[in-house]
Amino acid sequence: MTGGTPVVDPADMALRALARVNLAAIERNCALIRREIGADVALCAAVKANGYGHGAVQSARAAVAGGATWLAVATGGEAAELRAARLDARLIVLGALAPEELDEALDADADVVAWNERFVEQLATAAGARAAATAAPPIRVHLKLDVGMGRLGTRDADELLRVADRVAAAPGLELAGAMTHFPCADEDVALTRGQLAAFTAFGERLRAAHPGVLLHAANSAAALALPESRLDLVRCGIAVYGLSPWEDDATAHGLEPALELRSWVAALKPLAAGETVGYGARFRAQAPTWIATLPIGYGDGVRRGWERDGVALLGGRRRPLVGRVSMDNVTVDVGPEPGVALGDPAILIGAAGEERLTAEEVARRLGTINYEVVTALSARVVRAYHRDGAPA
Ligand SMILES: *Cc1c(COP(=O)(O)O)cnc(C)c1O
């Protein structure tokens, strides 16, 4: 079994919606990023949203094996899940933390992100309460400067320097880092350079007062394409999973897609001209054909939008999805001479022989991005882990 060959494991075929995840690919993707960024830059693997749909804990383990020393999540609950799995890495919660979520993040000993006095006061209060209860480690805080994303963080560098002083002065808080996040690293390098300059100017002022603070800004696109943005640490998500931040062919960048999404042919029936398929009778056969039903639907993350231009690989060939995507099933037109049998595997993302159906192509057909395609895979999809086809 080698990298690109599909795994046809009969034991898997009765699983209606199966995501096969190659942990060795995640490990190699991290090793590739590590080689690109060099020994002086740390790799933080983003495993938020259930590891971009791949499974948070398993993906995190593979990322750490590939050289990641930090793991990034978006919520307190995600940090708790990783900490419970005893991963040997520093955790950071990138997202905004509601007061109710804060303890969960801090119990997981995760670093947190702050940009205003109000949240820093909450942190200082939490640190006081925790110090009274136990010999708690300091709460490690990263400041966030907004250089153009317009979501979290402050645009006011002076204000952020005041927040930095407050963090540094508060007992129980440690000023660990400062960060920003680029809105267009994948599409506009010139704009991103300017935003990086704004951040590094702030970083210099910050370090003049608080030496040793870590600076980080780069996501996958910046880490791979804009070396000067790497600073002390890069935060890579999409590339870790072998998907392209530019929505092009990931393998052209040396990345290996880790995830394959498959189902099986649960029903195969002839359709006469004029007969219809699916809710709303949206597909009506123009000529006699065969319809294969795959027991995977929008309840699994195959969005209804796949109806418009979706394809699946059956019998080693691309076949169009027809009719509405339902919650638990999709229907595929396999033509008058199907060359497909009941029980055959069907691939919705992945490879079959020479044919490849990438998350990037699925995204293009759906009018979205690969990030959303894989993150949409729901809890109902069984994740099966392997290493290049061997049991993980
Ligand atoms: C998710 C996230 C990343 C990772 O982005 P990719 O494009 O997947 O590499 C980096 N930084 C922040 C703040 C994020 O939320």
Side-chain angles (χ1 to χ4, degrees), residues 145 147-149 180-185 188 190-200:
L145 186 71
V147 295
M149 182 67 100
T180 191
H181 191 35
F182 299 126
C184 307
D188 190 336
L191 180 72
T192 304
R193 280 207 179 95
Q195 294 173 337
L196 174 64
F199 178 65
T200 51

Side-chain angles (χ1 to χ4, degrees), residues 14 26 30 37 42 70 82 92 94 108 112 120 133 150 161 174 192 208 230 234 239 253 266 268 307 341 379 387 392:
I26 292 179
C30 287
I37 63 180
W70 289 64
L82 292 180
I92 179 168
L94 298 172
V112 297
V120 170
L161 288 166
E174 178 185 318
T192 304
R230 292 170 187 157
V234 299
H253 308 287
L268 189 62
E307 171 187 359
R387 295 185 60 86

Side-chain angles (χ1 to χ4, degrees), residues 46 48 52 94 144 179 181 219-220 235-238 371:
K48 58 196 179 183
Y52 290 44
L94 298 172
K144 186 159 194 180
M179 64 179 287
H181 191 35
N219 55 7
S220 295
R235 305 183 307 264
C236 293
I238 200 78
Y371 294 72

